[in-house]
Amino acid sequence: MSATARSAPAASAPDARRWRALVFIALAQLMVVLDATIVNIALPSAQRDLGISDGNRQWVVTAYALAFGGLLLFGGRIADLWGRKRAFVIGLTGFAAASALGGAAQSGAMMFGARALQGVFGALLAPAALSLLAVMFTDAKERAKAFGIYGAIAGGGGAVGLILGGFLTEYLDWRWTFFVNIPFAVVAAAGAYFVIREPEGGRNRSPLDIPGVILSTLGLVSLVYGFTRAESDGWGDSLTVGLFVAAAVLLLAFVVTESRVKAPLLPLRVVTDRNRGGVYLSLGLAVIAMFGTFLFLTYYLQVVKGYSPVKTGFAFLPMVAGMITGSTQIGTRLMTRVPARLLMGPGFLVAAAGMLLLAQLEIGSSYAALVLPALVLLGLGMGTAFMPAMSLATFGVQPRDAGVASAMVNTSQQVGGAIGTALLNTIAASATTSYIKDHIATAASKPQQQLVQLQGMVHGYANAIWFAVGILAFAAVVALTFVNAGRPDVAQVSAGGTGEGVEDEVHVPVVAH
């Protein structure tokens, strides 16, 4: 009881600088999300300049994804151990240094190494940023606004990356897609150092769970790399199958280990809670649908419609606007009034309706009549769903677990992105091959054959997008079934509110069931 009493003033007097801190946290998140798409635009130019072969170019993306996805849980635990502010600043500094190395790369190997380093520091930075929000914003209404802004950036930053990447590649040089991270990181790190004040008593000083670190890292790397190989070498490839088997064995061993060690890397209470478990699963599913479709639409606009990289980036702006509106207006205003599942479920269904429109794509489809409304619906739905999901991801956790709970959000998104790209690409490629095989014989002239190939490409995209519709509908079912948290109350948690200990009384807003 005395511990609660001593901590109570901190709970009733939130940090006066928390909104300024949000600016720098959001800036860091924007940098990480931008980097995911900005490099894709620059990849053809970088490949040509550095002499990277077609077979090896995937490593520019894969090296980052493996390091980031594999080390996220470890990064979250380090943030809990060192303190989120320190992990945040170190993550930013390292990310900036790795970006400078990538921009100065003189060979393929140097580029791959820089991308892997970006992934390492990104894995430290991303969970630290989200967990800082979780421990700094304790009032329910303020928390809703803060997570609304964070969710909008997390969702819409990728499309902004396409625009920025297009501009930098077309008008400057591909190296600037790396160098642009440096000012973002310097401003965010300096601001965080002087403005962020992390609440006392939230660290987890238990010794590191080394077996858990090794098993989770190897398991996640095997899983992400397995899906990456499946996309390029096929699902029946012996190494691909071996990677999936290894991932299953390693992750099962990880779960068994975590249930037995005294200070686990991922306390199972973080994922077995039905609300957090529902959030992680539904977010992962939504990202599977979103990442693949994002890629298809980029190719459709550039290859089929002949858009430039810059014009393609601008074409995605309605989705960004929809995400910002859904996240900061709809989600934020309703989160304290209705249960989270009534935002997440319908949000995913609205996004599925947008996907349903995109599934009607044809070569001659109008951007204004079909693509534009589809992107608006996709953005509105995702923005509305992501905002309460981001907030609930750290709902009910002890402050000492905030970093690893935040890491699970990023892990579900990263693994979902890898699965989505590989799975939907494979479906699209198969449908395209089948279509061309059935129709190419009737195309006598070369222009007709080229038309059939374009039609086959669009047919493949539409087929894969139908799967994305189903995945989003399933995400809605998961959210409506598992997430049973009611609307947050403005009051703080009273004893026994979450059943996870006294520390919850200080840092986490109550959620009425």
Side-chain angles (χ1 to χ4, degrees):
M1 181 66 190
S2 59
T4 309
R6 282 195 304 270
S7 300
S12 58
D15 187 351
R17 295 179 291 184
R18 62 197 178 283
W19 289 108
R20 275 181 285 166
L22 175 61
V23 172
F24 301 112
I25 294 170
L27 188 64
Q29 173 66 11
L30 179 61
M31 180 190 72
V32 172
V33 176
L34 282 176
D35 192 73
T37 51
I38 200 171
V39 172
N40 289 341
I41 293 287
L43 186 52
S45 303
Q47 181 186 355
R48 187 172 57 249
D49 280 5
L50 300 178
I52 301 171
S53 69
D54 286 348
N56 285 334
R57 70 181 173 190
Q58 62 159 326
W59 285 102
V60 176
V61 176
T62 305
Y64 178 84
L66 291 181
F68 189 69
L71 292 171
L72 269 166
L73 285 176
F74 184 42
R77 178 66 182 85
I78 289 292
D80 287 336
L81 180 65
W82 289 354
R84 288 108 201 167
K85 176 179 174 177
R86 182 183 297 175
F88 184 73
V89 173
I90 291 172
L92 278 168
T93 307
F95 200 92
S99 297
L101 189 65
Q106 299 300 312
S107 66
M110 191 172 171
M111 170 64 76
F112 304 150
R115 290 290 285 160
L117 269 178
Q118 280 186 309
V120 169
F121 287 105
L124 183 62
L125 172 61
L130 185 56
S131 56
L132 274 171
L133 285 190
V135 299
M136 290 180 75
F137 288 89
T138 54
D139 175 80
K141 289 184 178 178
E142 288 192 350
R143 186 179 172 93
K145 288 179 185 175
F147 276 95
I149 294 166
Y150 188 90
I153 289 170
V160 177
L162 287 171
I163 300 171
L164 191 56
F167 267 111
L168 292 172
T169 304
E170 278 190 38
Y171 301 118
L172 288 174
D173 184 74
W174 66 265
R175 295 182 185 278
W176 282 96
T177 60
F178 286 90
F179 292 145
V180 75
N181 288 333
I182 298 170
F184 275 96
V186 168
V187 172
Y193 183 80
F194 290 110
V195 172
I196 292 177
R197 188 173 63 212
E198 190 178 348
E200 295 292 330
R203 289 195 196 179
N204 184 347
R205 299 183 187 275
S206 305
L208 272 177
D209 168 23
I210 302 300
V213 169
I214 294 169
L215 289 169
S216 67
T217 301
L218 291 177
L220 288 171
V221 164
S222 297
L223 186 63
V224 173
Y225 189 35
F227 277 105
T228 304
R229 274 195 65 90
E231 183 187 353
S232 58
D233 295 82
W235 297 90
D237 175 69
S238 57
L239 182 54
T240 302
V241 173
L243 284 165
F244 284 134
V245 171
V249 171
L250 287 163
L251 292 175
L252 182 61
F254 172 67
V255 172
V256 172
T257 302
E258 297 310 274
S259 66
R260 295 182 178 180
V261 297
K262 187 176 180 182
L265 172 69
L266 174 63
L268 294 183
R269 61 180 176 268
V270 171
V271 289
T272 52
D273 175 87
R274 65 180 293 166
N275 287 292
R276 291 193 293 271
V279 164
Y280 301 145
L281 181 55
S282 60
L283 266 185
L285 288 166
V287 172
I288 287 174
M290 197 171 171
F291 262 57
T293 307
F294 205 63
L295 193 65
F296 298 145
L297 204 50
T298 302
Y299 275 99
Y300 173 78
L301 293 173
Q302 290 195 31
V303 177
V304 179
K305 290 296 193 182
Y307 285 21
S308 70
V310 173
K311 190 176 179 182
T312 301
F314 277 109
F316 277 101
L317 276 182
M319 186 179 76
V320 179
M323 278 188 170
I324 292 171
T325 304
S327 191
T328 62
Q329 299 303 311
I330 301 171
T332 301
R333 291 175 188 274
L334 294 181
M335 189 182 163
T336 54
R337 300 177 186 177
V338 299
R341 67 179 178 275
L342 297 185
L343 288 174
M344 291 176 64
F348 289 136
L349 290 176
V350 169
M355 288 284 191
L356 199 58
L357 277 178
L358 285 178
Q360 317 307 314
L361 271 181
E362 295 176 356
I363 285 182
S365 295
S366 161
Y367 174 83
L370 181 71
V371 179
L372 176 63
L375 287 176
V376 170
L377 285 172
L378 192 58
L380 275 174
M382 287 296 196
T384 301
F386 270 42
M387 202 284 296
M390 289 287 185
S391 183
L392 270 183
T394 51
F395 156 66
V397 296
Q398 299 174 22
R400 64 195 178 97
D401 292 335
V404 78
S406 302
M408 275 302 300
V409 183
N410 290 285
T411 302
S412 66
Q413 289 178 313
Q414 189 66 24
V415 173
I419 293 171
T421 304
L423 180 65
L424 296 183
N425 260 1
T426 305
I427 292 167
S430 176
T432 296
T433 303
S434 177
Y435 183 94
I436 292 173
K437 188 178 177 182
D438 291 344
H439 293 80
I440 199 73
T442 60
S445 64
K446 192 170 182 180
Q448 285 178 318
Q449 290 176 350
Q450 289 174 336
L451 179 63
V452 167
Q453 288 176 335
L454 283 178
Q455 287 171 335
M457 188 186 296
V458 177
H459 173 76
Y461 296 161
N463 263 269
I465 290 170
W466 273 108
F467 277 86
V469 172
I471 292 168
L472 276 173
F474 184 47
V477 171
V478 169
L480 290 167
T481 304
F482 284 91
V483 178
N484 67 350
R487 64 179 184 82
D489 190 1
V490 177
Q492 297 299 98
V493 174
S494 57
T498 64
E500 288 203 35
V502 171
E503 286 173 296
D504 287 350
E505 300 172 31
V506 181
H507 296 291
V508 184
V510 70
V511 179
H513 291 263

